[in-house]
Amino acid sequence: MAVGPDTLPELKPVEGFRIGVASAGIKKPGRRDVVLMELCEGASVAGVFTKNAFCAAPVTLSKKHLAAGPVRYLLVNTGNANAGTGEKGMADAIRCCDAVAAKTGVDREAVLPFSTGVIGEPLPVDKIVSALDAAKADLNEENWLNAAHGIMTTDTRAKAACEQFEYQGKTVTLTGISKGAGMIMPNMATMLGYVATDAAVEQSQLQQWLSEAADRSFNRITIDGDTSTNDSCILVATGRSGVQVAADNVELSELFVSALNRIMLTLAQAIVRDGEGATKFVEVRVEQAASVDEALQVAYTIAHSPLVKTALYASDPNWGRILACVGRAGVENLDLDALEIYLNDVCIVEKGGRAVSYTEEQGQKVMDGEEILIHVVLKRGDVRESVWTTDLSTEYVHINADYRS
Amino acid sequence: MAVGPDTLPELKPVEGFRIGVASAGIKKPGRRDVVLMELCEGASVAGVFTKNAFCAAPVTLSKKHLAAGPVRYLLVNTGNANAGTGEKGMADAIRCCDAVAAKTGVDREAVLPFSTGVIGEPLPVDKIVSALDAAKADLNEENWLNAAHGIMTTDTRAKAACEQFEYQGKTVTLTGISKGAGMIMPNMATMLGYVATDAAVEQSQLQQWLSEAADRSFNRITIDGDTSTNDSCILVATGRSGVQVAADNVELSELFVSALNRIMLTLAQAIVRDGEGATKFVEVRVEQAASVDEALQVAYTIAHSPLVKTALYASDPNWGRILACVGRAGVENLDLDALEIYLNDVCIVEKGGRAVSYTEEQGQKVMDGEEILIHVVLKRGDVRESVWTTDLSTEYVHINADYRS
């Protein structure tokens, strides 16, 4: 199950960005498991990738190809992560790129490969290659929703978002999709994200804005603290809207960056909402911290605590467990008597203990909701950071004890 | 359920250390929930305590009294942790010490209080005080097993150990008990340990040996990564064996320290074996590391990973999840092709991928056992460290979603 309504906005096409979806039968016959994306000539591409030292072969290859020069195709397969596959894995990823290159007349380096699914099994290259003709024949700009379905693995729902803004009579569109569920945590864990815009943005600027947006979205979500070997997020700017966005145009770049941040946050939060076995969607917000580091330290200690997460699952306003997390987060010289902790707007901890005004009924009312804010006020500075997470349910254990990911 | 046989060795009395157990009806009528321990005059006492900044009132008071001077009584209650209780909590802990002092004719500072149980509820001081006469009347040296039961909370079995060695025709005894389950992790998480010996050891030396032993035992176990507000481990040396242990007697001090390390490790591992919902007892051993820090970094990343822990629960030899943990543990310049990972003696990962010789049957056979060694060889140096942990079961979630701890 997932948290919140399963509705998607209309996904506007992005001119210059076509998508084809096909079925290679990698895990299940008939399942859409291969997605090919085609970028128009002249498109800029930026990417952020997993920081896991054991990054998968396709991640290594995508980074290399992205650095090498113009990208024209993104190839995604589900069902197999091509991770932990050694030299053969790299050869297999290259074979996939070569096959796309041969069928489309571009160089191998113009193809970025992405794989998600089981780790350590050989990539079924022949199956993937045999689906390329169908994926190519399917290429069209209206295919975002199919693509959102085509990149799903243990996801229970498709994830997509769309933003538009007007500038001097022209419309700029940003459309994106993501997948995740399980092994989600900062540094781009087991998740894929693809966002395209018809704005024109120079490559290094695009990379900077993507990195900043990812730090505030995909790198602020956590389900179980694990980081995958394959996570990647790609941002493509086709330029076809005719609107050129550059940092020296402050008004326009603010419009663009805020739309980018919104779409990235929506895509990242959609992954949390669909976290494995999730029944709650939880923001952990740490305010009045002395630094970003200490704010995140406290936020992640709470967000990763199995005891807090099981209490959330039980809708139990167990403020003692939250307080214990703040205490062990490693913040130097924490003033226990000054800090405050809230559930939504209900103060649960002040002066080093349970808030005098607090009643169990108030806490219970907050915890009975599906969307919960755990709000810690450290009273040490003016930094504020949020991370988003889920509860820990028996369903989570069932899924991960049964699924060979 | 717990892992391994539920058997205890004979718990030899320690001369000069008497224990009384009583029922104060704190959570359930009739349950043994108050334990009073009496130290003979002249006994040395050492203690290690939780590093959680929100340490409970009894921890703060125990540290203060321990520093102040000769300790004569330890008072333990279960059912209420007296944590997150602010100024009233401290006043309540003092009242308990005062009551023991009044009944026994010692100073308040000669009493160390310990509480474990629910956080944030006022300590039922009157109930505890009313049980002191019965506890005092029960004081005797043969009471270790009753004490092991008397300090249990969510524990499903009593935890105790005993070591003896001979030196120059005299027998030295070390006997100890522990409790834990849930919220177990380094830095003394929600666990209590009490070890007494009839050796004579000077206080500062006793403290050093206890701290070192705790670092290799209680601070190397983890069930869910949470640290409690109340953890304490106390070591008492009564001196009544007539054997004086000092560092300058190398032979004797080695005998003593190795017995101390063994009893502490047994008590700590017993807590893991009885971890909430545990079905597996797992050692994560990291060998050939460049430093203790990086060895522990890798070991804890594996031991805390919900994905590894659910795979252990499912008896799934999911080497990909272990490999992903090593990759994200943050070790700089890790040589992926050099390192090796074993399940017991089965090599599962080498040269950056699944070991060529590995078969699923081999892995399955290891995972089907109740006791599993995950063994990572980093090939970077000569440091070796182990941590001990459990799997993550649906039962863990049930317990923690139901129990207000």
Side-chain angles (χ1 to χ4, degrees):
Chain A
M1 74 181 279
V3 183
D6 184 11
T7 52
L8 291 178
E10 189 187 345
L11 302 175
K12 309 277 188 186
V14 174
E15 203 186 322
F17 191 83
R18 300 198 303 164
I19 306 172
V21 181
S23 173
I26 295 173
K27 275 191 85 171
K28 289 183 196 157
R31 179 170 178 167
R32 290 171 288 190
D33 51 12
V34 167
V35 178
L36 184 67
M37 306 183 198
E38 183 192 67
L39 290 59
C40 62
E41 276 191 62
S44 304
V45 184
V48 287
F49 298 93
T50 181
K51 290 176 185 162
N52 195 307
F54 272 110
C55 69
V59 171
T60 305
L61 198 60
S62 278
K63 283 175 169 173
K64 188 177 153 195
H65 288 183
L66 182 57
V71 174
R72 294 297 308 285
Y73 290 93
L74 315 177
L75 174 64
V76 190
N77 74 271
T78 68
N80 185 305
N82 193 13
T85 41
E87 287 176 18
K88 178 164 171 21
M90 181 53 74
D92 287 345
I94 289 172
R95 277 179 63 205
C96 289
C97 294
D98 283 347
V100 172
K103 285 183 192 297
T104 60
V106 301
D107 292 337
R108 172 198 291 176
E109 286 74 19
V111 184
L112 307 188
F114 304 88
S115 297
T116 177
V118 65
I119 291 179
E121 302 291 334
L123 190 70
V125 178
D126 292 340
K127 284 185 180 178
I128 293 169
V129 170
S130 70
L132 288 180
D133 283 336
K136 190 179 167 213
D138 188 46
L139 284 171
N140 72 85
E141 289 178 356
E142 308 284 344
N143 231 347
W144 282 99
L145 187 57
N146 288 327
H149 282 279
I151 63 173
M152 285 166 61
T153 55
T154 56
D155 306 66
T156 70
R157 51 164 73 164
K159 300 164 184 69
C162 186
E163 293 279 339
Q164 287 189 316
F165 65 89
E166 306 290 320
Y167 184 73
Q168 295 184 342
K170 289 177 179 162
T171 300
V172 174
T173 300
L174 298 89
T175 303
I177 57 175
S178 64
K179 66 127 320 215
M183 299 225 323
I184 305 303
M185 99 145 231
N187 309 328
M188 314 293 309
T190 309
M191 79 100 221
L192 298 175
Y194 300 93
V195 177
T197 176
D198 50 13
V201 186
E202 182 272 324
Q203 200 276 334
S204 68
Q205 181 62 71
L206 194 70
Q207 182 64 47
Q208 185 192 326
W209 282 337
L210 173 64
S211 299
E212 290 171 1
D215 271 348
R216 291 176 194 143
S217 56
F218 288 109
N219 290 341
R220 290 284 181 275
I221 62 176
T222 176
I223 290 173
D224 52 23
D226 274 281
T227 320
S228 108
T229 49
N230 290 58
D231 307 321
S232 312
C233 183
I234 298 293
L235 173 59
V236 171
T238 67
R240 291 292 177 86
S241 66
V243 175
Q244 172 87 36
V245 186
D248 57 6
N249 183 335
V250 175
E251 184 201 348
L252 175 56
S253 63
E254 280 183 2
L255 279 171
F256 179 78
V257 167
S258 71
L260 177 63
N261 285 339
R262 281 197 305 277
I263 197 170
M264 291 281 283
L265 193 59
T266 302
L267 291 174
Q269 290 185 345
I271 293 173
V272 176
R273 289 176 181 280
D274 195 20
E276 287 173 344
T279 73
K280 305 278 184 184
F281 176 74
V282 184
E283 176 179 352
V284 182
R285 185 190 300 163
V286 178
E287 224 167 46
Q288 297 185 31
S291 68
V292 171
D293 277 357
E294 78 174 31
L296 292 178
Q297 216 171 321
V298 171
Y300 280 120
T301 303
I302 295 169
H304 287 160
S305 162
L307 286 171
V308 170
K309 289 164 97 79
T310 47
L312 285 163
Y313 172 54
S315 298
D316 173 9
N318 194 317
W319 58 271
R321 294 183 184 178
I322 301 171
L323 179 147
C325 284
V326 177
R328 73 179 169 87
V331 175
E332 295 281 330
N333 303 316
L334 191 63
D335 184 349
L336 304 182
D337 291 332
L339 68 82
E340 293 164 2
I341 305 176
Y342 297 80
L343 289 177
N344 291 359
D345 56 355
V346 176
C347 184
I348 56 172
V349 171
E350 63 184 357
K351 300 192 176 70
R354 183 166 53 182
V356 176
S357 61
Y358 175 71
T359 65
E360 194 84 358
E361 291 67 38
Q362 293 174 314
Q364 193 60 56
K365 202 171 160 194
V366 174
M367 294 299 269
D368 286 341
E370 271 196 345
E371 311 222 350
I372 294 165
L373 170 66
I374 298 175
H375 182 189
V376 180
V377 183
L378 290 180
K379 303 273 183 81
R380 291 163 58 89
D382 56 6
V383 173
R384 167 180 160 166
E385 290 289 340
S386 285
V387 306
W388 290 271
T389 191
T390 64
D391 56 334
L392 172 57
S393 65
T394 49
E395 187 61 15
Y396 173 89
V397 179
H398 283 304
I399 293 171
N400 284 296
D402 294 341
Y403 174 72
R404 174 65 70 91
S405 68
Chain B
M1 72 181 281
V3 183
D6 184 11
T7 53
L8 291 177
E10 190 187 343
L11 302 174
K12 308 277 189 187
V14 174
E15 202 185 324
F17 191 84
R18 301 197 303 163
I19 307 172
V21 181
S23 174
I26 295 174
K27 274 190 85 170
K28 289 181 196 160
R31 179 171 177 164
R32 290 171 288 190
D33 52 12
V34 167
V35 178
L36 185 67
M37 307 183 198
E38 183 192 67
L39 291 58
C40 62
E41 275 191 65
S44 304
V45 184
V48 286
F49 299 92
T50 181
K51 292 177 184 160
N52 196 309
F54 271 110
C55 68
V59 171
T60 305
L61 198 60
S62 279
K63 285 176 167 172
K64 189 178 155 195
H65 288 184
L66 183 57
V71 174
R72 296 296 310 284
Y73 290 93
L74 315 177
L75 174 65
V76 191
N77 75 271
T78 67
N80 186 305
N82 193 12
T85 42
E87 286 176 19
K88 178 166 172 16
M90 181 53 74
D92 286 346
I94 291 171
R95 276 180 63 206
C96 289
C97 294
D98 283 347
V100 173
K103 287 184 191 295
T104 60
V106 301
D107 292 337
R108 172 197 292 174
E109 287 74 18
V111 184
L112 308 187
F114 305 88
S115 298
T116 176
V118 65
I119 292 179
E121 303 290 335
L123 189 71
V125 177
D126 292 341
K127 286 186 179 177
I128 293 168
V129 169
S130 70
L132 289 179
D133 283 334
K136 190 180 167 213
D138 188 45
L139 285 171
N140 73 86
E141 291 178 355
E142 309 283 344
N143 232 347
W144 281 100
L145 188 57
N146 288 328
H149 283 279
I151 63 173
M152 285 166 61
T153 56
T154 57
D155 307 66
T156 68
R157 51 165 73 163
K159 300 165 185 68
C162 186
E163 294 279 339
Q164 288 189 317
F165 65 89
E166 305 291 319
Y167 184 74
Q168 295 184 343
K170 290 177 179 163
T171 301
V172 175
T173 301
L174 297 90
T175 303
I177 56 175
S178 64
K179 68 130 316 218
M183 300 226 323
I184 305 302
M185 97 146 230
N187 309 328
M188 313 293 311
T190 311
M191 78 100 222
L192 298 175
Y194 301 93
V195 177
T197 177
D198 50 13
V201 187
E202 182 272 323
Q203 200 276 337
S204 67
Q205 181 62 72
L206 195 71
Q207 182 64 47
Q208 185 191 325
W209 284 336
L210 174 65
S211 298
E212 289 170 359
D215 271 347
R216 293 177 193 141
S217 56
F218 288 110
N219 289 341
R220 291 283 181 276
I221 62 175
T222 175
I223 290 171
D224 51 22
D226 273 280
T227 320
S228 109
T229 50
N230 290 59
D231 308 321
S232 312
C233 183
I234 298 293
L235 173 60
V236 171
T238 66
R240 291 292 176 88
S241 66
V243 177
Q244 172 87 38
V245 186
D248 57 7
N249 184 335
V250 176
E251 184 201 349
L252 175 56
S253 63
E254 280 183 3
L255 279 171
F256 179 79
V257 167
S258 70
L260 177 64
N261 285 339
R262 281 196 305 277
I263 197 170
M264 291 281 283
L265 192 59
T266 302
L267 291 174
Q269 291 185 345
I271 293 173
V272 176
R273 288 176 182 282
D274 196 21
E276 285 172 345
T279 72
K280 307 277 185 186
F281 176 73
V282 183
E283 176 180 353
V284 182
R285 185 191 300 163
V286 178
E287 224 167 46
Q288 298 185 29
S291 68
V292 171
D293 277 357
E294 77 174 30
L296 292 178
Q297 216 172 322
V298 171
Y300 280 121
T301 304
I302 295 169
H304 287 160
S305 162
L307 286 172
V308 170
K309 291 164 96 80
T310 47
L312 285 163
Y313 172 54
S315 299
D316 173 8
N318 195 316
W319 57 272
R321 293 183 184 177
I322 301 171
L323 179 146
C325 283
V326 177
R328 73 179 169 87
V331 175
E332 295 282 331
N333 303 316
L334 192 62
D335 184 349
L336 305 182
D337 290 331
L339 69 83
E340 293 163 3
I341 306 176
Y342 296 80
L343 289 177
N344 290 1
D345 54 357
V346 175
C347 184
I348 55 173
V349 170
E350 62 184 357
K351 300 191 177 70
R354 181 166 55 182
V356 176
S357 61
Y358 175 71
T359 65
E360 193 83 0
E361 290 67 36
Q362 292 175 316
Q364 193 59 57
K365 202 171 158 195
V366 174
M367 295 299 270
D368 285 342
E370 270 197 347
E371 312 222 349
I372 294 165
L373 170 66
I374 297 174
H375 182 189
V376 180
V377 183
L378 289 181
K379 303 273 183 81
R380 293 163 58 89
D382 57 6
V383 173
R384 168 178 159 169
E385 289 290 341
S386 285
V387 306
W388 291 270
T389 191
T390 64
D391 56 333
L392 172 58
S393 66
T394 49
E395 188 61 17
Y396 173 90
V397 179
H398 283 305
I399 292 170
N400 284 297
D402 293 341
Y403 174 72
R404 172 66 69 93
S405 69

